[in-house]
Amino acid sequence: MTMRCTAAAAVSGPQAGRQAPCSQRRPAARRCATMAASAPSSTAASVDTALNPRVASLKPSKTMALTDLATKLREEGADIIGLAAGEPDFDTPAPIIEAGIEALRLGYTRYTPNTGTSALRKAICAKLEGENGLAYSPEEIVVSNGAKQCIWQALLATCSEGDEVVIPAPYWVSYPEMARLAGATPVIVEATPQEGFKLTPAKLRAALTPASRLLILCTPSNPTGAVYSREELEALAEVVAEHPRLLVLSDEIYEYIVYPPAQHHSFGTLPGMFERTLTVNGFSKAYAMTGWRLGYLAAPRHFAKAAAVIQSQSTSGASSIAQHAAVTALGMGPAGGPLVQQMIAAFEQRRDFVTQRLQQIPGVKLAPPQGAFYVMPEVSAFAGPGIEARGFGPVPDVDTLCRYLIEKANVALVPGDAFGAPTCIRISYAASMETLGKALDRIAEALAPENFSRS
């Protein structure tokens, strides 16, 4: 290192005009001193551990944290029931698994085009036109490593510093953090239980400003299970149309998981909304393919191209094996075909069971969800100033209530403040009826009126 510093400092004569990258940054003496300080004998305290301010401000996902905690406690021998994760408990349907195995045997193990294989993008286009009424070309489809990546790339492609992203609450935990990471400001608009956890046109209009760039809608909703009717979406679209630079990100990952009489409607089919809408979907939820990591963005070509450029400089294309299997998934029939519909029928049975059991607990308020596989009961009767749980202590908020439930009932749930709903909890019913029955017995016992007092 000494020789390198000396050589860099001694550039003169014919080579004096040549650039020496290190010496441009600081004088040789300072540079040598710095390098000496970074020798093996230096302490860790000399390392600059500063992070990008945007990254440093991010909040970790509570759903992931609680799922990881439940797993850790189970590994330690505790009888923990985890109802925190948003993941189907079913196996991936057999035809999809066989297609993945076939991909391996046929040698589909190399890089694919950045935006996805031609076969898969064409299959997605056919699905979107046939089932959703959305006409895209393969060049307007970007296949990614899960819908989460699609949402992130859509935000990064469309939002700039100073832009605002309007997010109805309750929301999926990652929306606000992704907006911040993209340099935008999340604007949270509360949708109350009395409103069915749905954004109203009046609240949307009040939230919009000249800085509003993106509205995020998730229907069917994670975390509430709310499903917007076409009339409700049309009313929101009328407000969107009043703002020329406002775009809509429509997260439709749960589109197949709807319960009659509710129906799914794609926002991009509404009058005047196709050019404004970036539609996100994928295979994780309906096809029980969470570990396959595959989602897609469908958007007008200039937005799709921008998302594709981001992907080309980050992850590049998604798994070749998963893409081959996804073509088979899309070929299983409308709305996933009979195998997917069997899973959805089981989810509906569980929805009914969980809703009935929760509504029987004094103090719990819950309207039946219309889609997805979550319920979001309002539980303010058990948390707040002056409320204490016997054998536990004060329960000032729902975060603490969830700690009480995992400690006393051995059930892991997600506090609503992670979703912008601080008086609620989210329960995933993507579990067997036996597991759900056991969990609800424990929850009912832990929330019995005699276990709580208010001072």
Side-chain angles (χ1 to χ4, degrees):
M1 287 194 298
T2 302
M3 289 177 63
R4 182 179 175 186
C5 288
T6 303
V11 175
S12 58
Q15 299 190 24
R18 296 175 63 182
Q19 291 186 349
C22 289
S23 61
Q24 281 184 328
R25 294 176 184 149
R26 51 183 179 260
R30 180 183 172 192
R31 188 170 68 256
C32 293
T34 301
M35 297 177 85
S38 63
S41 60
S42 66
T43 64
S46 65
V47 177
D48 184 350
T49 59
L51 298 174
N52 181 316
R54 290 184 187 175
V55 175
S57 68
L58 292 180
K59 301 173 184 175
S61 166
K62 283 193 176 180
T63 55
M64 297 302 297
L66 283 162
T67 299
D68 291 347
L69 174 60
T71 300
K72 178 177 180 292
L73 291 172
R74 277 196 296 269
E75 289 173 350
E76 293 173 353
D79 180 22
I80 299 293
I81 298 174
L83 300 180
E87 178 173 41
D89 59 310
F90 301 108
D91 290 333
T92 303
I96 301 173
I97 293 174
E98 291 304 316
I101 295 170
E102 177 186 66
L104 291 168
R105 288 176 174 159
L106 294 179
Y108 294 117
T109 55
R110 301 186 183 278
Y111 293 136
T112 72
N114 175 55
T115 56
T117 65
S118 175
L120 179 54
R121 286 182 289 122
K122 287 178 181 178
I124 290 170
C125 288
K127 179 264 182 223
L128 289 172
E129 186 165 13
E131 294 187 21
N132 302 78
L134 295 167
Y136 289 100
S137 69
E139 292 73 30
E140 295 172 310
I141 305 297
V142 181
V143 176
S144 302
N145 299 280
K148 180 179 276 191
Q149 181 178 359
C150 298
I151 295 168
W152 159 237
Q153 290 177 170
L155 277 158
L156 195 59
T158 58
C159 295
S160 305
E161 198 82 35
D163 282 341
E164 295 176 349
V165 177
V166 178
I167 305 171
Y171 47 72
W172 180 50
V173 294
S174 294
Y175 293 149
E177 302 309 311
M178 287 182 175
R180 293 186 181 99
L181 197 56
T185 301
V187 176
I188 309 302
V189 184
E190 181 186 14
T192 67
Q194 293 73 27
E195 295 164 331
F197 290 125
K198 299 177 191 178
L199 178 65
T200 65
K203 285 188 174 181
L204 174 59
R205 184 175 281 110
L208 295 176
T209 73
S212 301
R213 178 56 173 162
L214 192 67
L215 165 65
I216 299 181
L217 288 177
C218 180
T219 178
S221 166
N222 174 9
T224 67
V227 178
Y228 286 81
S229 69
R230 185 170 185 87
E231 292 71 25
E232 290 167 331
L233 292 175
E234 287 174 343
L236 294 176
E238 290 177 5
V239 179
V240 171
E242 298 169 4
H243 295 261
R245 72 184 300 263
L246 183 63
L247 305 174
V248 177
L249 192 155
S250 184
D251 183 350
E252 303 182 10
I253 190 68
Y254 294 93
E255 69 161 328
Y256 288 165
I257 309 175
V258 290
Y259 313 120
Q263 293 181 318
H264 173 71
H265 302 279
S266 291
F267 196 86
T269 63
L270 303 177
M273 291 297 110
F274 182 83
E275 292 298 329
R276 291 174 177 260
T277 303
L278 295 87
T279 301
V280 171
N281 210 322
F283 300 85
S284 296
K285 310 301 182 179
Y287 294 97
M289 292 176 68
T290 51
W292 296 71
R293 306 310 303 131
L294 203 65
Y296 58 88
L297 169 72
R301 189 166 304 193
H302 48 292
F303 295 131
K305 183 178 179 180
V309 170
I310 296 168
Q311 182 160 297
S312 73
Q313 298 294 358
S314 53
T315 64
S316 298
S319 162
S320 59
I321 299 155
Q323 290 189 61
H324 186 78
V327 175
T328 294
L330 291 176
M332 287 167 52
L339 293 177
V340 169
Q341 289 304 309
Q342 287 174 19
M343 292 189 280
I344 293 168
F347 282 138
E348 184 174 13
Q349 182 185 20
R350 297 169 182 182
R351 185 275 308 254
D352 294 342
F353 174 70
V354 169
T355 299
Q356 182 183 40
R357 289 292 307 274
L358 287 171
Q359 288 175 335
Q360 291 172 353
I361 300 175
V364 173
K365 300 175 184 176
L366 175 66
Q370 300 171 299
F373 40 72
Y374 310 103
V375 292
M376 200 162 203
E378 205 276 341
V379 291
S380 59
F382 307 95
I387 295 179
E388 291 198 10
R390 187 177 61 185
F392 179 81
V395 187
D397 50 39
V398 173
D399 257 45
T400 309
L401 179 64
C402 284
R403 289 200 299 272
Y404 164 75
L405 288 170
I406 200 168
E407 246 184 66
K408 299 298 182 181
N410 281 1
V411 178
L413 310 174
V414 188
D417 70 333
F419 309 97
T423 64
C424 299
I425 55 176
R426 192 193 75 169
I427 301 173
S428 168
Y429 51 86
S432 69
M433 289 289 282
E434 180 183 359
T435 297
L436 291 170
K438 187 176 179 181
L440 288 162
D441 287 343
R442 294 180 181 183
I443 292 170
E445 183 178 350
L447 297 183
E450 61 267 22
N451 289 332
F452 290 85
S453 63
R454 184 184 293 270
S455 60

